[in-house]
């Protein structure tokens, strides 16, 4: 490696480069936070407590452990960010209530023993997620 | 070893390897569940096997980093560790917390675990890789603070080197970013935005600093190359890492509800993320080529070189394949993602931990290197695991491309489950290869018990 810069120069580039990048990242973060309200459907969260309740059910049952939500999560089971549009609320509730299928060899989903209220809340959460502006993702309804 | 307190690294390394075995066993369970969907259901549903697999990985890598730090900081600082006692207590706290957590995952439904551990008071459970109860997360923070306190005082009171400076910067960053695991808004977009501050800024940020420092340490020791050269390379590598990786976080921000300018920022900056890994390949091969001694630990040399190559391929190349937004639109959340994830984690982090382990373990037992038979077994383990991982990645890449074609492209896209059935052939190949990986791991572990004390056969004398 050519010696046209010293170790101290390299160290200073590290400090300077890192500081610049951190500041730039924080700056873009601030801008993102300021424009988010136009795309993240947050007004719904304030007026509809079912959404917050539904997110807690989503978390406490670790749905992300098999499914993806907006493409993030596990790849064992279908994308659920757009399942509200793909299947509708009644199907979603009926599906969850009837698991496991017990079909031999088929990937199985546990029975979570959710109450009617919990199912409604979860469906509201999934509806809210389906309305987030995701820049046209996924490419089609299959998710 | 030069300082008695370096010995605290031993339990960390042992626990790391035990958890590595657990990780792979649960990985094989999951791989089988992909094709025999009801395997072990309902006792160990897929999501439970998955959280054990991923959490075991993360904890064993952290144990490895901690062992590495406790080993190399005293040697670099040229003084004993500030408190070996604290390091040992911290080890047990971490191990017991991890063990109880895994028992929790396996013994009760996740919702029950959430209730039992009081998740409702500060809800942090239920997100990928952050499945741990809030109490466990608090434990992790305390373990991290203990590590940082112990190492920082050792560093501040001793000789400061580029290696330890970068290592500590990385470890402090690791601890700081973990605090975002406690940030869990109801707003899904913001939840995801800050979740990546833990995950991306760990594995594509501060963890690379830790990796670079560990690799540099091992290379200094086994090649004897002038430290000034290694220091300069290390600073160049970590500069490339953070300059590309900070805004590069944006490559996770394309489709989750964030402004579209992230598609440009993320694509541009993350396209540069392979550069530090490419630099690491040049660095490692250059150092070994210019070595001033023929270190008898040929296995550690192989691990060091192999780490740089596999990290470049898995993290750099496979990462690049799906990092640009127009490509990622189709590949987001598919088996292609998994193919990259496996080779990246193995190449960068599994291998760097096994590298320092390979170098430090004999030193911790009063030897320059393991005996020849042991090293041969260790190198067999290296090749079996590494080649298996390459094929696992290739099979998942094939599965992913097919999945994308069937489910996301064309006029008559298949539903998810139908597409999964069509690609099952590649999942079977992956599982078979996974068994070979386990054979490699067992071969590697055998090297700790067979032919350890013999002569290293090549290079300098065996006794240090």
């Amino acid at each position: 490696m050519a010696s046209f810069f010293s170790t101290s120069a390299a160290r200073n580039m590290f400090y300077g480069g890192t500081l610049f990048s951190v500041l730039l990242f924080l700056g873009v973060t601030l801008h993102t936070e300021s424009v988010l309200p136009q795309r993240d459907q947050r007004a719904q969260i304030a007026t509809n407590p079912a959404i917050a309740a539904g997110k807690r059910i989503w978390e406490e049952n670790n749905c992300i452990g098999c499914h993806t939500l907006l493409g993030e999560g596990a790849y064992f089971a279908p994308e659920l960010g757009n399942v509200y549009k793909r299947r509708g609320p009644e199907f979603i509730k009926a599906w969850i209530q009837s698991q496991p299928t017990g079909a031999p060899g088929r990937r199985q989903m546990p029975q979570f023993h959710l109450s009617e209220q919990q199912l409604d809340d979860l469906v509201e959460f999934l509806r809210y997620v389906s309305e987030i502006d995701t820049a046209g993702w996924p490419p089609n309804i299959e998710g | 070893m030069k300082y008695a307190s370096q010995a605290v690294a031993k339990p960390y390394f042992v626990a790391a390897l035990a958890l590595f075995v657990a990780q792979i066993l649960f990985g094989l369970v999951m791989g089988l569940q992909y094709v025999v969907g009801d395997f072990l259901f309902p006792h160990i549903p897929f999501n439970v096997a998955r959280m054990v697999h991923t959490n075991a990985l993360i904890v064993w890598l952290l144990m490895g980093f901690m062992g590495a730090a406790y080993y190399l900081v005293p040697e670099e600082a040229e003084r004993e560790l500030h408190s070996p006692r604290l390091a040992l207590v911290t080890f047990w706290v971490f191990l017991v917390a991890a063990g109880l957590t895994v028992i929790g995952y396996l013994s009760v439904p996740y919702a029950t675990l959430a209730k039992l551990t009081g998740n409702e008071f500060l809800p942090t459970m239920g997100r990928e890789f952050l499945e741990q109860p809030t109490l466990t997360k608090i434990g992790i923070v305390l373990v991290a603070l203990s590590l940082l306190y112990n190492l920082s005082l050792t560093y501040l009171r001793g000789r400061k080197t580029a290696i330890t400076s970068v290592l500590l910067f990385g470890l402090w960053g690791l601890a700081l970013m973990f605090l975002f695991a406690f940030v869990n808004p109801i707003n899904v977009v913001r939840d995801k935005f800050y979740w990546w501050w833990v995950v991306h800024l760990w594995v594509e940020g501060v963890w690379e600093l830790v990796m670079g420092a560990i690799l540099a340490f091992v290379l200094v020791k086994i090649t004897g190359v002038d430290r000034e050269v290694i220091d300069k390379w290390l600073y160049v590598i970590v500069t490339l890492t953070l300059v590309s990786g900070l805004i590069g976080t944006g490559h996770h921000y394309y489709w989750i509800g964030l402004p579209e300018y992230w598609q440009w920022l993320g694509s541009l900056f993350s396209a540069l993320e392979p550069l530090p890994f490419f630099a690491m390949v040049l660095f490692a091969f250059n150092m070994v080529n210019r070595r001033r001694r023929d270190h008898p630990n040929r296995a550690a040399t192989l691990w060091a070189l192999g780490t740089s190559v596999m990290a470049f391929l898995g993290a750099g190349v496979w990462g690049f394949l799906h990092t640009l937004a127009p490509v990622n639109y189709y590949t987001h959340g598919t088996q292609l993602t998994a193919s990259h994830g496996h080779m990246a984690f193995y190449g960068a982090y599994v291998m760097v931990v096994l590298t320092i382990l390979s170098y430090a373990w004999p030193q911790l037992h009063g030897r320059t290197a393991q005996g020849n038979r042991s090293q041969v077994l260790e190198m067999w383990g290296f090749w079996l695991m590494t080649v298996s991982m390459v094929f696992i990645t290739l099979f998942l890449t094939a599965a992913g491309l097919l999945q994308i074609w069937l489910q996301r492209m064309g006029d008559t896209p298949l539903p998810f489950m139908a597409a999964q059935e069509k690609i099952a052939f590649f999942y079977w190949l992956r599982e078979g290869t996974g068994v070979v990986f386990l054979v490699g791991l067992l071969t590697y572990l055998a090297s700790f018990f067979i032919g350890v004390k013999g002569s290293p056969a090549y290079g300098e004398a065996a006794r240090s």
Side-chain angles (χ1 to χ4, degrees), chain B residues 405-442:
Chain B
W405 180 252
L406 292 169
Q407 186 187 322
R408 297 237 174 112
M409 299 178 110
D411 301 318
T412 49
L414 288 182
F416 176 91
M417 294 301 284
Q420 291 295 302
E421 261 180 73
K422 294 258 183 240
I423 64 183
F425 172 68
F426 291 101
Y427 289 143
W428 280 111
L429 290 174
R430 179 267 297 268
E431 183 70 352
T433 319
V435 174
V436 178
F437 185 95
L438 179 65
V439 171
L441 176 55
L442 294 173

Side-chain angles (χ1 to χ4, degrees), chain A residues 75-76 107, chain B residues 24 26-36 46 50 53 334-339 342 387-400 420 423-438:
Chain A
Y75 316 119
F76 195 65
R107 298 180 188 179
Chain B
I24 299 311
F26 277 87
L28 286 171
V29 165
M30 291 162 69
L32 192 54
Q33 288 173 329
Y34 258 84
V35 282
V36 181
F46 179 86
R50 189 178 196 268
H53 176 69
T334 64
Q335 290 302 317
L336 203 74
T337 319
S339 76
H342 281 81
V387 173
S388 301
M389 182 50 73
V390 170
F391 278 97
I392 286 170
T393 302
L394 288 172
F395 294 138
L396 288 179
T397 302
Q420 291 295 302
I423 64 183
F425 172 68
F426 291 101
Y427 289 143
W428 280 111
L429 290 174
R430 179 267 297 268
E431 183 70 352
T433 319
V435 174
V436 178
F437 185 95
L438 179 65

Side-chain angles (χ1 to χ4, degrees), chain A residues 1-8 10-22 24-26 28-33 35-36 39-42 45 51-53 55-56 58-66 68-79 86-87 100 102-112 125 128-129 132-143, chain B residues 30 33-38 41 45-48 50-51 110-112 114 119 123 125-128 131 166 169 184-197 201 209 228 231-233 235-236 238-239 242-243 246-247 249-250 252-263 265 269 286 290 328-330 332-335 337-338 407-409 413-417 420 427:
Chain A
M1 187 163 170
S3 50
F4 48 75
F5 67 97
S6 64
T7 307
S8 340
R11 190 174 57 239
N12 289 334
M13 278 191 269
F14 170 57
Y15 292 147
T18 302
L19 185 64
F20 173 76
S21 305
V22 167
L24 183 58
F25 187 56
L26 290 177
V28 185
T29 297
L30 278 169
H31 181 268
T32 292
E33 285 277 26
V35 301
L36 263 189
R39 20 182 351 128
D40 65 7
Q41 298 287 324
R42 65 179 62 186
I45 302 172
I51 294 173
K55 184 170 191 271
R56 287 291 168 251
W58 168 269
E59 291 169 353
E60 286 164 6
N61 293 282
N62 188 233
C63 307
I64 205 83
C66 289
T68 49
L69 192 71
L70 304 187
E72 298 176 345
Y75 316 119
F76 195 65
E79 159 71 26
R86 184 168 65 245
R87 297 293 205 168
R106 189 190 161 97
R107 298 180 188 179
Q108 295 296 302
M109 173 166 164
Q111 174 51 239
F112 295 104
F125 169 71
Y128 144 75
V129 175
I132 294 169
D133 180 356
T134 58
W137 194 87
N140 60 42
I141 197 66
E142 303 302 347
Chain B
M30 291 162 69
Q33 288 173 329
Y34 258 84
V35 282
V36 181
D38 50 4
F41 186 85
F46 179 86
N47 67 313
V48 172
R50 189 178 196 268
M51 64 177 80
Y110 193 73
T112 308
N119 187 55
M125 290 173 79
R127 298 189 298 168
E128 196 185 5
E131 296 91 351
V166 168
F169 191 105
N184 187 12
I186 302 290
N187 185 323
V188 160
V189 180
R190 298 182 74 246
D191 168 349
K192 287 172 177 294
F193 184 83
Y194 291 106
W195 182 83
W196 284 111
W197 285 35
L201 292 178
L209 268 60
E228 186 78 14
D231 286 356
K232 188 159 54 167
W233 270 103
Y235 280 122
V236 169
V238 296
T239 305
L242 292 182
V243 171
L246 274 159
I247 310 291
T249 312
H252 301 288
Y253 291 163
Y254 300 154
W255 322 117
I256 58 170
L258 293 164
E260 272 93 342
Y261 55 63
W262 281 111
Q263 292 171 28
L265 286 175
F269 278 85
N286 229 279
R290 292 157 57 161
N328 192 270
Y329 181 71
Y330 291 101
H332 182 55
T334 64
Q335 290 302 317
T337 319
Q407 186 187 322
R408 297 237 174 112
M409 299 178 110
L414 288 182
F416 176 91
M417 294 301 284
Q420 291 295 302
Y427 289 143

Side-chain angles (χ1 to χ4, degrees), chain B residues 194-420:
Chain B
Y194 291 106
W195 182 83
W196 284 111
W197 285 35
V198 184
V199 180
H200 173 97
L201 292 178
W202 262 25
V203 303
E204 300 176 74
V206 291
W207 278 35
E208 283 183 44
L209 268 60
V210 174
M211 176 194 173
I214 293 174
L215 197 60
F217 176 79
V218 174
L219 287 170
V220 164
K221 295 293 164 180
I222 61 178
T223 67
V225 167
D226 183 25
R227 186 178 277 272
E228 186 78 14
V229 176
I230 289 191
D231 286 356
K232 188 159 54 167
W233 270 103
L234 183 57
Y235 280 122
V236 169
I237 286 166
V238 296
T239 305
L240 290 170
T241 298
L242 292 182
V243 171
S244 65
L246 274 159
I247 310 291
T249 312
H251 67 178
H252 301 288
Y253 291 163
Y254 300 154
W255 322 117
I256 58 170
L258 293 164
E260 272 93 342
Y261 55 63
W262 281 111
Q263 292 171 28
W264 288 95
L265 286 175
S267 296
L268 246 98
F269 278 85
S270 70
L272 302 174
E273 284 190 40
L275 287 177
F277 289 109
F278 185 63
M280 276 194 236
V281 177
L282 295 177
F283 170 49
F285 278 83
N286 229 279
M287 296 303 113
V288 172
N289 201 34
R290 292 157 57 161
R291 64 190 179 279
R292 297 178 181 183
R293 58 183 297 201
D294 270 313
H295 199 281
N297 196 339
R298 287 157 294 121
T301 312
L302 179 62
W303 280 111
L305 293 173
T307 299
S308 71
V309 174
M310 284 295 284
F312 172 66
L313 287 176
V317 176
W318 251 258
F320 184 79
L321 288 180
H322 68 149
T323 205
L324 300 176
V327 173
N328 192 270
Y329 181 71
Y330 291 101
T331 68
H332 182 55
T334 64
Q335 290 302 317
L336 203 74
T337 319
S339 76
H340 159 67
H342 281 81
M343 191 146 138
F345 258 101
Y346 176 76
Y349 302 119
V350 169
M351 288 181 83
V352 82
V353 170
L354 296 182
T355 300
I356 179 77
L357 223 163
S358 180
Y359 170 74
W361 189 261
Q363 298 280 349
L364 287 165
H365 293 84
R367 294 185 287 274
T368 322
Q370 304 286 63
N372 190 53
R373 284 200 67 202
S374 165
Q375 286 197 50
V376 167
L377 269 175
E378 189 181 345
M379 290 189 277
W380 266 100
F382 167 94
W383 285 111
L384 283 168
M385 285 196 280
T386 300
V387 173
S388 301
M389 182 50 73
V390 170
F391 278 97
I392 286 170
T393 302
L394 288 172
F395 294 138
L396 288 179
T397 302
L401 289 173
L402 228 58
Q403 176 191 13
I404 291 160
W405 180 252
L406 292 169
Q407 186 187 322
R408 297 237 174 112
M409 299 178 110
D411 301 318
T412 49
L414 288 182
F416 176 91
M417 294 301 284
Q420 291 295 302

